[in-house]
Amino acid sequence: MIVNHQTPTPEISQKLAQLRLTVQRASYAYYVLDDPIMEDGVYDRLYRELQELENQYPELISPDSPTQRVGEKPAAQFQSVTHNIPLYSLENAFNMAELQAWDEKWRRFLGDSLPQDPKYICELKIDGSAIALTYHNGILVRGVTRGDGVTGEDITQNVKTIRSIPLKLHLDNPPPVVEVRGEAFLSNHIFVQINQERQQTGEPLFANPRNAAAGTLRQLDPRIVADRRLDFFAYTLHLDSPNLHDHWDCLELLQKMGFKVNPNRQLCQSLLEVQQYFDAWDTQRRELPYMTDGVVVKLNSLSLQKQLGETRKFPRWAIALKYPAEELPTKIISVTFQVGRTGALTPVAELEPIQLAGTTVKRATLHNQDRLTELDLHIGDTVIVRKAGEIIPEVVRVLPDLRPTGAKLVTMPTHCPECGETVIKTPAEAVTRCINSSCPAIVRGSIIHWCQRPALDINGIGEKLVQQLVDAQLVRSVADLYDLNMDQLLELDRMGEKSAQKILAAIATSKQQPWHRVLYGLGIRHVGKANAQLLAQNFPSCQSLAAASSAQIEGVYGIGAEIATSVYQWFQNPANISLCDRLQQAGLQLTSVPSTAPKSTHQAQPFAGKTFVLTGTLPTLSRDQAKSMIENAGGKVTNSVTKKVDYLLLGEKPGSKLKKAQDLAIANLSESDFLAMIKSANF
Ligand SMILES: NC(=O)c1ccc[n+]([C@@H]2O[C@H](COP(=O)([O-])OP(=O)(O)OC[C@H]3O[C@@H](n4cnc5c(N)ncnc54)[C@H](O)[C@@H]3O)[C@@H](O)[C@H]2O)c1
């Protein structure tokens, strides 16, 4: 513990009070209302910050600080009862270094009486709600929520509805008293089902299965509890017996007594093995039908556990090693504005760097003016940043309680930060745009897009070279790339003859790329890879597409009105027509082998009456694109897998929907199957 002997400044006291208030509010919403106001990762981080400040200034610790207790005292819905043995929380570790520090700490605590080769047990940390069960002579007499660890609520009637909790222990000679602890939880698909029902009846949705489980346990009507099919894994047995030497024995005995014990436990000889278990389960856990948020590491020996005992909040012999959060709080240092290839200005938050889901995040997108207004963002704000999967980090929320006094509101600029021209805001789009087509940022963006792999795939032309080419005014549009010569390239900084040759060769090769990639490369708004393919299939030449009416373009399955208008308008601009002419003269493929004529708008709808569910990431289509293609073809997209679903459109890293669909024998479609179905219906 770092103890600071300086008196806290008024700013520190104020910051700590604000932080305490925010954590208190979150804790109440989470434990008492089962309705969290922030992500767990965010809570954990703020809690840590509060803990660290309190460690630095112990005189500022107040007895009502969330760091001073386990959970919250529940609302007086059920009878409040004192636990026979306190129900502790677990200390958290967020990385291996913290796990190592815990290991050193308990070893230090034991001093000379350190045992030889202590073993660890790793168990999955089930994201449910802890309950304490008491059995008298083998009969369940009491079930209690954790509450604040000392007192909980008597929910015996509700506990009796959980089928995986034995009402009578499977023992011939049960001891007079047995205490069992474990986690009550809901499977993911029941959680989805409950929320669907709540949505239909207009009730607020549960944020996650854990809150849903906690909320269910505290339902006053046991019939509702029974209906929700809670499940239970036992993980602690309090029983004095000479035959029990370690935690592993306890888990086996619990199983014999008739409890479900999570089968994915492992005995580990070292922290390295613990790490291997933790890493392996980081992916495997996504296949489980219930949520887990970490691994609980426990010392196996019961005598060691006894020697170490507990602090006021945690056992010293166990720790929860949490999987990295995808949302964390940090601070806004400043906001910059990026101009994209379409001229759209994107506000970007420059952040105090944080480690998020395995990478350092320093910047996050703020999308557009509407988002800025919605967030009411001020410089210096503490914000929640999310990075899920491959998605660019984004600011999802502001914590206004933690705003510094006098903080400046962030607004969109009135002039383009690149070319200085006045920007315009299109009311229909929520986008602020620079409309100067020779704005260097727009030119650079369109050339980078042209050279990227899904477009013309010109190897060797990256952002730096594009910047040089535009700055030297050698390239003002993509067509200029095809006029570049050796001498011009050699004049650029750090450009050798070999590199220049390679670049010219790559530019020449790009002339072979098919029409749909040229179309994608043109960067017409809303025309992504899949749409470019669809359009090129239906309009086999640039000329035919340029001559098509908006209605004809919209007649292509998968092409909505917005895309059609954007394409149509693009070809109405004479500058774009002359760009296409120049590209054609340069030898690019603006025609494909004709296979079809533009489609009429009156085709049979191939997916009429069919219901689709999407899961995972598709190779080329975004979810929105796939959704609009299905809807344009007469189909319906829903979120939950039920018997009424006809197809599961399956991408990479699918979620639990895949398992559910397999159980219900619903047909899977890959993206290529799906595109083939659309295509065959189109021809
Ligand atoms: N989102 C919010 O606003 C908010 C507010 C308060 C708390 N929280 C979350 O709650 C957590 C703190 O809650 P907590 O005090 O219950 O601690 P915890 O959930 O971090 O860990 C302790 C709990 O783990 C559970 N557990 C699951 N599997 C277990 C196993 N195999 N062995 C032993 N225990 C197991 C038990 O219920 C135990 O009580 C934090 O992670 C925090 O993110 C979130």
Side-chain angles (χ1 to χ4, degrees):
M1 190 201 291
I2 314 155
V3 179
N4 192 319
H5 295 288
Q6 285 175 2
T7 331
T9 60
E11 287 76 30
I12 296 278
S13 305
Q14 194 200 359
K15 182 175 176 196
L16 194 134
Q18 282 171 330
L19 202 53
R20 186 171 53 221
L21 183 72
T22 310
V23 176
Q24 264 166 346
R25 280 192 194 149
S27 171
Y28 179 78
Y30 184 85
Y31 290 117
V32 181
L33 308 178
D34 299 317
D35 189 13
I37 52 172
M38 60 179 74
E39 282 283 309
D40 285 3
V42 176
Y43 176 84
D44 289 345
R45 183 78 173 220
L46 293 176
Y47 184 96
R48 255 306 158 86
E49 213 178 304
L50 176 63
Q51 224 173 10
E52 279 163 12
L53 265 181
E54 287 181 344
N55 281 349
Q56 245 180 315
Y57 303 99
E59 60 269 52
L60 294 181
I61 301 178
S62 65
D64 65 335
S65 171
T67 59
Q68 302 304 300
R69 58 187 189 183
V70 174
E72 287 281 326
K73 241 191 211 339
Q77 217 175 0
F78 291 87
Q79 199 195 338
S80 171
V81 284
T82 307
H83 287 296
N84 298 332
I85 305 162
L87 232 159
Y88 296 99
S89 175
L90 288 169
E91 194 176 347
N92 283 331
F94 295 103
N95 51 49
M96 285 299 149
E98 291 182 2
L99 182 73
Q100 182 81 45
W102 163 77
D103 201 57
E104 284 161 15
K105 198 163 62 180
W106 72 256
R107 283 169 191 269
R108 255 198 324 274
F109 187 88
L110 288 181
D112 293 341
S113 48
L114 199 66
Q116 264 200 333
D117 304 326
K119 297 192 179 40
Y120 309 87
I121 281 199
C122 285
E123 292 169 29
L124 294 179
K125 187 168 178 300
I126 314 296
D127 209 8
S129 198
I131 42 180
L133 306 171
T134 309
Y135 289 81
H136 284 172
N137 301 315
I139 304 294
L140 175 69
V141 291
R142 199 171 87 157
V144 183
T145 62
R146 189 184 68 177
D148 63 5
V150 178
T151 48
E153 295 152 306
D154 188 334
I155 50 158
T156 311
Q157 287 315 313
N158 288 346
V159 161
K160 284 183 175 172
T161 69
I162 305 176
R163 282 157 198 265
S164 38
I165 293 182
L167 299 180
K168 183 170 182 288
L169 298 179
H170 303 181
L171 290 177
D172 292 335
N173 292 308
V177 181
V178 176
E179 276 279 322
V180 174
R181 271 87 201 272
E183 202 78 351
F185 65 97
L186 282 169
S187 67
N188 296 336
H189 83 271
I190 295 191
F191 166 68
V192 171
Q193 216 172 302
I194 293 175
N195 264 351
Q196 272 170 353
E197 284 161 15
R198 288 172 78 87
Q199 195 161 25
Q200 276 158 16
T201 52
E203 287 169 278
L205 303 189
F206 286 119
N208 52 47
R210 181 184 194 168
N211 290 111
T216 302
L217 282 173
R218 309 223 304 263
Q219 275 286 333
L220 289 172
D221 185 348
R223 283 169 309 179
I224 297 181
V225 185
D227 239 25
R228 294 208 183 149
R229 283 168 288 158
L230 277 163
D231 209 340
F232 180 80
F233 280 128
Y235 49 66
T236 304
L237 171 65
H238 288 290
L239 178 66
D240 268 338
S241 158
N243 301 327
L244 293 174
H245 303 290
D246 50 42
H247 184 59
W248 193 270
D249 293 341
C250 292
L251 295 179
E252 300 218 311
L253 181 56
L254 279 168
Q255 222 160 336
K256 282 192 196 127
M257 286 175 164
F259 290 96
K260 257 171 90 165
V261 175
N262 194 290
N264 306 310
R265 57 191 183 269
Q266 189 181 307
L267 207 55
C268 293
Q269 313 287 336
S270 65
L271 288 192
L272 182 66
E273 281 185 31
V274 170
Q275 172 158 19
Q276 284 161 349
Y277 174 93
F278 179 77
D279 291 344
W281 276 100
D282 194 10
T283 26
Q284 287 177 53
R285 70 197 178 105
R286 293 170 209 276
E287 304 295 316
L288 295 171
Y290 47 84
M291 295 283 277
T292 59
D293 64 341
V295 166
V296 184
V297 185
K298 299 173 182 171
L299 292 174
N300 191 31
S301 153
L302 293 184
S303 64
L304 200 52
Q305 290 187 5
K306 203 165 173 185
Q307 257 176 295
L308 284 164
E310 291 81 20
T311 68
R312 209 154 28 89
K313 285 187 75 170
F314 315 119
R316 292 190 184 87
W317 44 267
I319 191 158
L321 183 56
K322 294 278 190 90
Y323 285 112
E326 290 176 341
E327 287 194 15
L328 281 183
T330 184
K331 284 205 179 66
I332 300 268
I333 302 172
S334 64
V335 172
T336 51
F337 296 88
Q338 270 180 358
V339 185
R341 68 181 164 84
T342 60
L345 263 61
T346 307
V348 178
E350 307 289 338
L351 307 166
E352 271 183 13
I354 34 160
Q355 281 298 314
L356 190 54
T359 55
T360 307
V361 174
K362 296 184 196 147
R363 314 181 80 203
T365 179
L366 292 159
H367 300 289
N368 53 36
Q369 166 74 69
D370 284 5
R371 189 73 186 121
L372 275 185
T373 313
E374 206 181 314
L375 288 169
D376 184 33
L377 191 74
H378 290 63
I379 302 295
D381 265 347
T382 296
V383 294
I384 309 305
V385 177
R386 174 193 297 159
K387 180 171 164 282
E390 294 305 303
I391 299 170
I392 308 163
E394 62 171 339
V395 170
V396 287
R397 215 160 342 115
V398 174
L399 301 180
D401 288 347
L402 302 181
R403 176 168 297 153
T405 37
K408 190 169 165 271
L409 181 74
V410 180
T411 51
M412 291 299 281
T414 50
H415 291 79
C416 172
E418 287 273 349
C419 67
E421 290 286 316
T422 310
V423 292
I424 58 151
K425 180 166 188 283
T426 331
E429 276 191 316
V431 176
T432 305
R433 219 177 268 286
C434 170
I435 47 162
N436 169 17
S437 59
S438 44
C439 169
I442 299 178
V443 176
R444 278 198 311 269
S446 59
I447 295 166
I448 290 166
H449 173 74
W450 179 264
C451 296
Q452 275 167 354
R453 185 171 296 160
L456 278 292
D457 192 15
I458 306 181
N459 227 330
I461 305 193
E463 280 183 35
K464 277 193 186 133
L465 181 59
V466 171
Q467 173 97 43
Q468 283 180 296
L469 291 169
V470 174
D471 287 352
Q473 303 202 348
L474 289 174
V475 174
R476 292 186 185 84
S477 83
V478 294
D480 291 341
L481 288 173
Y482 298 88
D483 294 338
L484 282 175
N485 61 40
M486 190 66 154
D487 292 343
Q488 288 171 323
L489 286 182
L490 286 177
E491 270 175 32
L492 299 174
D493 242 15
R494 271 177 282 155
M495 175 66 72
E497 204 165 313
K498 261 199 176 153
S499 309
Q501 262 166 4
K502 274 193 189 158
I503 289 166
L504 289 176
I507 293 175
T509 311
S510 74
K511 294 180 187 175
Q512 306 310 317
Q513 295 289 11
W515 158 221
H516 69 87
R517 290 181 62 163
V518 175
L519 179 55
Y520 172 63
L522 290 173
I524 305 173
R525 229 184 292 160
H526 305 306
V527 179
K529 284 170 282 180
N531 289 337
Q533 247 164 355
L534 276 178
L535 287 169
Q537 274 163 13
N538 286 271
F539 298 95
S541 70
C542 183
Q543 264 174 338
S544 61
L545 185 55
S549 67
S550 192
Q552 277 173 317
I553 302 172
E554 202 184 329
V556 176
Y557 278 129
I559 301 294
E562 197 179 16
I563 307 169
T565 311
S566 166
V567 174
Y568 175 76
Q569 281 176 352
W570 194 87
F571 281 105
Q572 299 314 299
N573 182 344
N576 291 335
I577 299 291
S578 61
L579 172 69
C580 292
D581 288 346
R582 276 188 69 196
L583 290 172
Q584 187 136 33
Q585 277 157 23
L588 281 121
Q589 308 295 313
L590 274 77
T591 314
S592 58
V593 182
S595 56
T596 180
K599 295 291 139 195
S600 95
T601 46
H602 303 290
Q603 292 185 23
Q605 298 217 306
F607 295 153
K610 299 286 182 212
T611 304
F612 285 72
V613 166
L614 311 181
T615 184
T617 313
L618 297 171
T620 65
L621 295 176
S622 70
R623 276 190 174 224
D624 283 347
Q625 281 172 329
K627 188 166 178 264
S628 72
M629 286 165 85
I630 293 166
E631 286 168 355
N632 281 337
K636 213 174 91 183
V637 178
T638 152
N639 251 334
S640 51
V641 182
T642 64
K643 275 187 279 181
K644 290 185 188 147
V645 172
D646 299 283
Y647 295 110
L648 182 77
L649 182 50
L650 183 63
E652 271 199 34
K653 295 197 187 149
S656 56
K657 289 175 186 167
L658 175 59
K659 168 87 184 50
K660 184 84 200 294
Q662 280 166 343
D663 292 348
L664 296 173
I666 292 167
N668 288 343
L669 289 182
S670 66
E671 183 186 285
S672 51
D673 298 336
F674 170 72
L675 288 175
M677 279 168 83
I678 295 242
K679 196 174 162 196
S680 62
N682 255 340
F683 283 88

